[in-house]
Amino acid sequence: MNKLIQLKAPISVNFETTQVCNLYCSFCFSNSATYHHKNPPLERVKRVIDALAEAEVFEIRWFGGEFMALKGWEEIVAHAFAKGFFMAFVSNGTLMTRDSAKTLARYGITGGAMSVHGPEAIHDQVVGAPGAFCKTIEGIRNCWEENIGITVLFTPTQINFRSLYDLARWLKTNNVPVTEIGVGRLCPSGEAIKDWNKRRLTLNDYKYLFKVMRKVYQDFGIHVYMGDAFPLCVLPYNDWQLVTGCWQGTGFAQVSYTGGIKSCSILADSYGNILEKPLIDIWTESLQTMRSLKHLPYQCRLCPHFCGGGCSASRFTNKLYGPDEFIPTPEEENIFTLAHRIPGLLNFYIRSNLDRGKTWNENFLQSKFLPATNVKPHINCQFRIRKDIEGYIGFFKGRGILTFNETAARIIQLIDGQHSIEDIINIIEKEYPRDTQIRKNILSFLQSINRGEFLTFSNS
């Protein structure tokens, strides 16, 4: 039976610092297009940051509304930097001046995302603001000048979903420096609830988008992917690699300037308030029901290639979580719903076994072997490690997430460019004298993270 891993706190949070926004997106889940919001006091926002730091959250992604519409956002970013957070942002880009980009870069921000929902006329229609497209493109260029890479976020609607290819072609033709395009899910929340049955995309609409994602990469070399969760069993096997998935309720959370915390940015209700109760207590206690996966059909809970059941926010419901709109609820599950999934799963078994052999051969041929043990290894990126419920977990900027046991965490501490591989082996052998496999295990561990390009080496 599948289960979700339990961490003591999220790895990364989207921090909704304000609901104020200067655009009027037709699908905004914060209702920023309809309601006249006011900015919160900066001291309250700082208190939320302090609560996140106490729980050892690694990363804050500035979010809104529009986070740059918060007066004094620079002070907030500086406060988070002083607390040791890694940071990124999600923005509409229209307020991103060169000076703003310089400020973000000064506080260690090297990546973010900006929303572009089609070529100029379509984008401006979707966001309800003539001239917004040009301002966003200028914002992307301003970030690039300060070495901040930008992912374009594209939310498909019935108005714009067929314009993805045209957008990619325009970006390529006009040399707009984007690193990739992330396609989101249109979900029944906020502004999008109105006339949902007319607004929503069908499964065939999404399958069309997956075909476009492949063609964009083929024609323009721009990587395009599904940035939200999607049930893999309803897609051809070749499209599975384009789905990044979702860590809601495990490694990801959304926190509001009020202190309310949710497992998903789009779902409405919170699990508690981190200004009133420690985040670790909320995260370990209040999400037990969600992590039990009882909201998913048995077919998902037993699936050998578990994808999380797709996107909970995609289903029109008043519950905190549920199965994706394109798979059955537990109540709807029957032999006929299973029959719909059998072709996709059979395809998975056959193709994945073939790919597994191909991948093993490629990995062997591309293996990066360790140099001599007298060299000094060094982690080649910024990172932080915390002790978690089970073992340790590390956030490696630009590389990813790694989990460790106690010994591996100690080895990571010693990979500092000052100790040679032989030094590390000798130190660990003294600390764990009864373990006769220390040398073999350390070399194997270093080989694995070297294969992931986490290491550099020096002789001095």
Side-chain angles (χ1 to χ4, degrees):
M1 188 74 75
N2 293 311
K3 64 178 182 178
L4 296 180
I5 187 173
Q6 179 168 321
L7 303 177
K8 72 175 185 179
I11 294 168
S12 175
V13 298
N14 277 358
F15 186 3
E16 185 186 46
T17 55
T18 181
Q19 284 183 281
V20 174
C21 186
N22 58 325
L23 300 184
Y24 308 92
C25 298
S26 57
F27 51 78
C28 178
F29 56 82
S30 291
N31 290 115
S32 296
T34 301
Y35 298 100
H36 182 68
H37 298 290
K38 294 182 179 180
N39 279 318
L42 295 185
E43 289 307 311
R44 186 200 297 160
V45 178
K46 289 180 181 179
R47 286 175 56 210
V48 174
I49 292 171
D50 294 343
L52 295 172
E54 184 178 353
E56 296 187 282
V57 172
F58 292 126
E59 181 188 48
I60 290 176
R61 291 190 283 187
W62 304 109
F63 206 68
E66 170 53 47
F67 87 95
M68 285 192 164
L70 174 66
K71 294 181 179 179
W73 66 264
E74 300 92 341
E75 183 179 338
I76 297 304
V77 171
H79 185 74
F81 180 77
K83 293 287 182 178
F85 284 100
F86 295 109
M87 292 180 283
F89 62 87
V90 177
S91 170
N92 64 44
T94 60
L95 303 178
M96 184 66 74
T97 65
R98 183 69 181 274
D99 285 343
S100 297
K102 287 181 178 179
T103 298
L104 295 176
R106 186 165 65 248
Y107 291 115
I109 295 177
T110 57
M114 291 188 189
S115 301
V116 186
H117 304 301
E120 183 173 1
I122 294 176
H123 174 82
D124 288 354
Q125 179 185 358
V126 170
V127 304
F133 179 86
C134 292
K135 291 178 181 178
T136 299
I137 299 302
E138 182 181 358
I140 293 172
R141 296 190 189 280
N142 286 335
C143 283
W144 186 256
E145 291 297 323
E146 298 303 325
N147 297 313
I148 299 174
I150 296 297
T151 295
V152 161
L153 299 182
F154 177 90
T155 301
T157 69
Q158 287 296 339
I159 295 173
N160 72 339
F161 83 95
R162 293 190 179 276
S163 71
L164 177 59
Y165 185 87
D166 291 337
L167 170 62
R169 178 170 53 194
W170 190 94
L171 294 172
K172 184 70 173 181
T173 302
N174 290 276
N175 297 313
V176 180
V178 300
T179 57
E180 54 193 7
I181 301 174
V183 178
R185 297 283 299 270
L186 181 67
C187 297
S189 180
E191 306 291 339
I193 290 178
K194 303 167 188 172
D195 298 322
W196 172 244
N197 287 330
K198 294 180 180 178
R199 289 174 178 259
R200 68 187 294 266
L201 270 64
T202 66
L203 179 57
N204 283 335
D205 292 337
Y206 281 109
K207 287 182 175 180
Y208 163 82
L209 282 169
F210 278 101
K211 291 179 181 178
V212 174
M213 292 179 205
R214 292 188 173 281
K215 186 164 177 56
V216 166
Y217 183 74
Q218 176 184 328
D219 291 355
F220 310 123
I222 300 174
H223 176 51
V224 190
Y225 61 91
M226 171 55 66
D228 290 327
F230 211 96
L232 300 183
C233 59
V234 302
L235 295 174
Y237 176 67
N238 283 344
D239 288 341
W240 288 19
Q241 62 182 299
L242 299 176
V243 180
T244 59
C246 176
W247 347 336
Q248 73 140 331
T250 53
F252 172 81
Q254 160 101 358
V255 66
S256 166
Y257 59 85
T258 64
I261 192 160
K262 306 185 290 185
S263 61
C264 167
S265 297
I266 300 175
L267 295 173
D269 295 328
S270 72
Y271 288 100
N273 191 304
I274 65 175
L275 298 181
E276 300 169 0
K277 184 177 180 179
L279 170 54
I280 291 175
D281 291 347
I282 296 173
W283 205 245
T284 54
E285 297 170 7
S286 300
L287 281 82
Q288 293 293 341
T289 302
M290 188 274 283
R291 294 194 187 107
S292 74
L293 302 179
K294 291 182 180 178
H295 58 284
L296 296 179
Y298 272 104
Q299 298 161 30
C300 286
R301 284 182 264 172
L302 296 172
C303 181
H305 196 84
F306 182 58
C307 68
C311 176
S312 289
S314 68
R315 182 174 288 273
F316 193 52
T317 177
N318 58 0
K319 297 179 180 179
L320 275 172
Y321 34 81
D324 193 280
E325 64 174 324
F326 297 128
I327 62 175
T329 64
E331 295 76 21
E332 296 167 339
E333 186 177 32
N334 55 51
I335 190 65
F336 299 107
T337 61
L338 176 60
H340 283 297
R341 305 177 68 193
I342 287 176
L345 291 174
L346 286 175
N347 191 5
F348 158 69
Y349 286 126
I350 296 169
R351 298 292 297 277
S352 63
N353 284 325
L354 292 172
D355 286 351
R356 192 176 295 117
K358 179 182 176 183
T359 301
W360 188 91
N361 287 326
E362 289 176 348
N363 287 342
F364 179 78
L365 292 172
Q366 297 173 6
S367 288
K368 298 182 66 176
F369 295 100
L370 288 175
T373 58
N374 63 338
V375 300
K376 297 176 179 179
H378 186 266
I379 302 291
N380 60 12
C381 62
Q382 294 177 297
F383 69 95
R384 286 176 56 199
I385 294 176
R386 77 183 187 206
K387 192 175 189 313
D388 219 283
I389 294 174
E390 295 182 9
Y392 293 75
I393 189 165
F395 183 103
F396 295 79
K397 185 176 180 179
R399 294 288 186 271
I401 309 297
L402 294 178
T403 56
F404 315 101
N405 60 22
E406 184 177 6
T407 306
R410 175 68 174 130
I411 294 170
I412 289 290
Q413 290 179 331
L414 295 171
I415 303 176
D416 55 5
Q418 303 300 313
H419 296 87
S420 70
I421 295 175
E422 199 65 44
D423 292 336
I424 295 171
I425 293 171
N426 291 334
I427 291 170
I428 299 299
E429 282 181 334
K430 289 177 182 178
E431 294 179 358
Y432 298 89
R434 295 183 179 180
D435 191 338
T436 60
Q437 300 294 313
I438 287 291
R439 173 177 290 272
K440 176 183 176 182
N441 290 339
I442 289 178
L443 292 176
S444 176
F445 174 69
L446 293 176
Q447 177 66 53
S448 67
I449 61 175
N450 187 44
R451 190 181 299 119
E453 300 187 344
F454 285 79
L455 298 179
T456 55
F457 301 91
S458 65
N459 292 311
S460 59

